[in-house]
Amino acid sequence: MSAPDDLPPALYEQALGLRRQSPEGLPPGRGFDLPGSPAEAGAGESALSHKEAAVVVPGALDPLPADAADLHRRFAELGVRACHRRAVLYAVAALPLPAEQRPAARSLARQLTRTGTTVPAVTVGLALLARVGEPEDVPHVFVLGLVRSLTGAAIQALDVLDRRAGAVVSLLSSVGRPELRPLVQALATASASASASASASAADDAAVRRELTAFPAGPRFLGAGTARRVAEAARLPDLLAAHPADPELLARAGLLLVRIACAGDAPGELLDYRDAPGVYETVVGRAGLLTPTLDHHAMLLSLALSLSSGTGVLLDWPPGRREGLLAALGRLLARPAWTAVTDPGSTSDPAGGSPEAARAVAAGVDPDTAAAWRRRAGWIRRTGRRPFTGAAPAGGGLRIEIVAGDPEGDRACLETRILVDGRPLVPALFPFGPAHGPEILLDEGMLRADSEPRRVQLAEAWCTEGCCGALHVTVRRDGDEVVWEDWRRPTLPGSRGPAPAVPALRFDAAAYDAEIIRAETDGDWSWRARRTARLVKAGLTARPELLARWDARRGWVGTGFDDPDTVKVNFLYQPGLAAGRPEGDPLVFQWAVADDGAPPEEQAAAALRRLAEEDPKRYGRVSGGTRERAEELGFAWPFDT
């Protein structure tokens, strides 16, 4: 059956044309847009809903059409369009493809990817190649992946056929920051050369190495997913093997691992990085090449935290190998040359030993730089031996580790890591976000076991529970045991059905209670402002009347995201609250309490005393509610642009 004469050119040919017209053959921004009709883009009239598409698309593919024209006709009659491509992907993934049908499926897939004229039809071809494709299909899939409406399906296929090419397409379609474009350009060029000649040229490899060590790799620029794709596109193990004595490349490889393992972004990214164990081995094995600096110490310590209680534990390690790497890191970081980098006055101290901002200015050092150095050095001193001394309980069982991330690289991440038999529970069950911090799980007593069952949210997706879900469990005491049961978690990536059931966990009650008490009273991980915040929160919880007399109640109390040395006390004001007759919606205030260097107990006592004696609305500022409510109560609204 021949295709109708009025069909537009094949999408592959359109993509090739757009690529030839684009500078250096790369798409702008997040991919090429096809010059198709509004209906093809998913707009215009469409009587087929997404639910209906999920029903009719599988029928259109079973049996598989004899040729591309037949599929175009079926989809056209049903009204399947670009906006239904997710239903197409699910339908192809569910198709039974016995061995005898695979050659015909491969032939159809190649027809569709080379000659298909609509997004749904080409998506079928790409989804089939993810199941039956071969290396010769990679160049065509790569070109189609540069088209925005086909990127997702192309990446799925490339991740099976050529993971490096899949990583490059992913970066080309997702990285918009100009600071990262030279790196992406170098990776794309090297990938294209390797695809054409089975190996990249020395010049291409040199360009990748140069851009990889030069681009800004801070958390503002590099999330976990992007870091994984950079490592895959660069073929990091091969690059390290080609440069065995390159400390700059080694340090950047370690930093990429740290970013991939960042639980605050997506803990599942490290498990998706197939080369992770080998890169860990190389970085730790060659760590002696690195000069002892604060940056290098922080990077290696972050790797140790992942290997001791983080997602790194869950990688596929040979027996004893992870423990060996951890021990090697412990020995290295305990050497005097490495411990000295956190000393005030060391060569890594930008203020030359000046602990105060005023002296830093006098020394010609930016106060923010000096403060950042002090925060990071303090984090290393507090955290430096924790990954090497946190012994698992005898015979397995429950262990809780509070882990604060590098304040310069992962400052938002403060986790209550829950280990069962030495393995971290949350990343094993929930790939969308880290375990909650201690202020939620420990300060509020959420993990304590009582006879009455308690529903506990252990973790929430970084994008909120309403988007990608959360991990919930019920905790209850059952005689001389504590039981964690009735697990709730969302559908896992790549699956349409519910996540597999999690069996109940049972702990010895006495050992469980002792571990919870130990974790609740563990303050060695905390910095001064954080301890002050916990004490202020505890004081307001125990004495709600301190705020109630001002018609207010406690809100969130913690340290600032951008300024972890400042305590943020939030409270909600409602007229009439003290008399038991609150009126209207509450107005949220925030009081910022800067760390003055005094012991946390003294700072917390002073803050509580001021809250008791002075109306906090006089020195706090409005931070939430509505403009109308603020003006009604006589307060200025601070969010005018």
Side-chain angles (χ1 to χ4, degrees), residues 39 45 88 95 103 146 266 332 341 349 362 381 420 442 473 542 547 549 571-572 577:
E45 297 179 5
V88 170
L95 278 176
L146 303 181
L332 178 73
V341 301
D349 182 356
R381 287 193 292 268
V420 177
L442 296 175
V473 69
L547 286 173
R549 66 174 300 192
F571 58 92
L572 289 77
L577 186 67

Side-chain angles (χ1 to χ4, degrees), residues 326-362:
L326 196 57
L329 281 173
R331 290 191 297 270
L332 178 73
L333 296 180
R335 293 177 183 174
W338 285 90
T339 60
V341 301
T342 65
D343 295 338
S346 70
T347 56
S348 68
D349 182 356
S354 169
E356 302 300 331
R359 293 180 60 196
V361 173

Side-chain angles (χ1 to χ4, degrees), residues 614-635:
E614 299 180 48
D615 185 346
K617 297 188 292 297
R618 295 177 180 172
Y619 46 88
R621 64 187 296 270
V622 174
S623 62
T626 66
R627 176 197 299 273
E628 294 74 17
R629 185 59 169 160
E631 293 175 350
E632 177 187 348
L633 296 175
F635 296 96

Side-chain angles (χ1 to χ4, degrees), residues 38 60 171 176 308 330 360 375 446 452 511 555 557 564 566 634:
L171 291 170
S308 65
R375 281 195 296 269
M446 295 300 293
E452 285 295 319
V557 180
T566 298

Side-chain angles (χ1 to χ4, degrees), residues 532-550:
T532 300
R534 294 181 87 184
L535 291 170
V536 171
K537 178 181 176 181
L540 292 176
T541 302
R543 300 166 61 194
E545 69 276 5
L546 294 183
L547 286 173
R549 66 174 300 192
W550 312 113

Side-chain angles (χ1 to χ4, degrees), residues 367-394:
D368 290 339
T369 301
W373 184 92
R374 289 197 303 276
R375 281 195 296 269
R376 208 176 199 192
W379 170 72
I380 291 174
R381 287 193 292 268
R382 292 190 305 273
T383 309
R385 303 314 301 168
R386 288 176 72 89
F388 313 112
T389 58

Side-chain angles (χ1 to χ4, degrees), residues 240-306:
L240 289 167
H243 301 273
D246 187 336
E248 190 177 13
L249 178 62
L250 186 71
R252 185 48 58 101
L255 186 57
L256 281 174
L257 267 185
V258 171
R259 297 306 311 150
I260 296 169
C262 175
D265 286 345
E269 291 291 346
L270 184 65
L271 301 180
D272 287 337
Y273 182 40
R274 299 172 182 176
D275 294 325
V279 178
Y280 270 111
E281 294 235 20
T282 300
V283 172
V284 176
R286 299 181 190 171
L289 294 173
L290 300 175
T291 303
T293 66
L294 202 69
D295 284 346
H296 291 161
H297 198 140
M299 179 269 289
L300 294 174
L301 178 54
S302 296
L303 294 182
L305 289 169
S306 178

